[in-house]
């Protein structure tokens, strides 16, 4: 007999909503350039975004038994995070399961394996971020854990950690760091708005970024 638990502590939805206002790149930079998943994990449509608590699941390569189980037990707003062995040659998720997820109000799917039916997924609008696109089917044979720490895209993701993703990539924020990540992302956004305003007012990159002393310190002489 295999015992599987689906219980974990989810973060404050209000904090998740606040984090969702920032891009994945901003969050990554703001938390000290931490948490970025491998760049191979991309959305099937550049307009897709997600932000929510991770509902983690481990699947054997070319097997989506536990993915389907995770979809059944996940709660509205949860993002299914699949560790499938970084196996590209399988389409373990498609439009049928996406409709199941959307009907439950789930927040999206992140997987280090493949998906298919991408035209239908784009039309549906359910956020899907995957390692690959592959038409090859899967089996339903192997039992694995739910709601335990997994490694996906080179990052450790625990159930209840917040994953945020957009056209540029995916980032994870540890649940205990959520408030600081929000504050740091807000500071970074405000600082970047100041840089943009300065550039638009006519100030130069060399002036704003202090390039002259940096280049001089590296022995660079610019012949103008």
């Amino acid at each position: 007999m295999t015992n599987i638990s689906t219980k974990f502590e989810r973060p404050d939805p209000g904090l998740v909503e606040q984090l969702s206002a920032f891009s994945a790149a901003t969050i990554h930079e703001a938390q000290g350039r931490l948490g970025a998943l491998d760049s191979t994990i991309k959305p099937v449509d550049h307009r897709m975004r997600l932000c929510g608590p991770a509902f983690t699941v481990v699947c054997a390569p070319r097997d989506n038994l536990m993915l389907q189980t995770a979809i059944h037990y996940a709660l509205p707003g949860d993002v299914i995070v699949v560790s499938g062995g970084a196996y590209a040659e399988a389409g373990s998720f498609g439009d049928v399961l996406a409709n199941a997820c959307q009907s439950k109000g789930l927040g999206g799917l992140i997987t280090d394996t493949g998906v298919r039916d991408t035209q239908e997924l784009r039309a549906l609008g359910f956020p899907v971020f995957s390692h690959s696109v592959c038409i090859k089917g899967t089996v339903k044979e192997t039992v694995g854990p739910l709601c335990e720490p997994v490694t996906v895209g080179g990052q450790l993701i625990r159930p209840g950690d917040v994953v945020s993703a957009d056209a540029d990539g995916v980032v994870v924020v540890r649940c205990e760091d959520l408030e600081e990540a929000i504050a740091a992302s807000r500071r970074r956004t405000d600082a970047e708005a100041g840089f943009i305003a300065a550039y638009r007012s006519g100030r130069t990159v060399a002036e704003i970024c202090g390039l002259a002393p940096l280049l001089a310190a590296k022995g660079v002489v610019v012949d103008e």
Side-chain angles (χ1 to χ4, degrees):
M1 179 179 293
T2 301
N3 292 323
I4 297 175
S5 176
T6 63
K7 298 178 181 179
F8 63 93
E9 186 174 351
R10 291 170 173 82
D12 181 344
L15 293 177
V16 174
E17 184 176 0
Q18 289 182 53
L19 188 72
S20 71
F22 305 106
S23 71
T26 292
I27 297 167
H28 165 62
E29 293 282 358
Q31 61 178 1
R33 296 184 176 176
L34 298 174
L37 275 62
D38 290 344
S39 60
T40 55
I41 299 180
K42 295 294 188 185
V44 299
D45 189 303
H46 71 277
R47 295 168 293 183
M48 291 177 172
R49 294 179 61 104
L50 62 77
C51 188
F55 189 105
T56 60
V57 55
V58 176
C59 293
R62 297 194 70 178
D63 192 319
N64 73 350
L65 171 63
M66 296 312 297
L67 170 55
Q68 292 194 356
T69 306
I71 292 168
H72 176 75
Y73 286 105
L75 298 182
D78 287 349
V79 175
I80 305 291
V81 177
V82 183
S83 174
Y87 186 77
E89 294 300 313
S92 61
F93 182 91
D95 65 327
V96 174
L97 289 180
N99 274 278
C101 290
Q102 193 172 69
S103 69
K104 289 195 65 176
L106 303 189
L109 175 102
I110 297 168
T111 179
D112 68 356
T113 184
V115 300
R116 61 187 185 183
D117 305 326
T118 55
Q119 288 188 342
E120 291 83 357
L121 293 177
R122 293 185 189 104
L124 187 64
F126 181 74
V128 175
F129 291 71
S130 69
H131 172 52
S132 66
V133 174
C134 181
I135 62 173
K136 297 176 182 177
T138 56
V139 298
K140 298 170 182 62
E141 297 289 345
T142 308
V143 173
L146 296 177
C147 302
E148 293 185 7
V150 297
T151 298
V152 174
Q155 293 293 326
L156 178 68
I157 302 175
R158 306 167 305 173
D161 286 347
V162 179
V163 285
S164 182
D166 56 28
D168 293 331
V170 186
V171 65
V172 57
V173 178
R174 295 175 71 87
C175 55
E176 63 268 27
D177 297 333
L178 185 53
E179 292 187 69
E180 175 53 31
I182 293 167
S185 296
R186 188 172 291 118
R187 291 192 297 268
R188 183 175 178 84
T189 299
D190 291 344
E192 289 182 340
F195 293 147
I196 292 170
Y199 290 137
R200 290 189 176 277
S201 72
R203 297 179 67 186
T204 68
V205 173
E207 182 183 4
I208 297 298
C209 298
L211 290 184
L214 285 174
L215 293 174
K218 295 179 181 297
V220 176
V221 177
V222 180
D223 184 12
E224 297 188 72

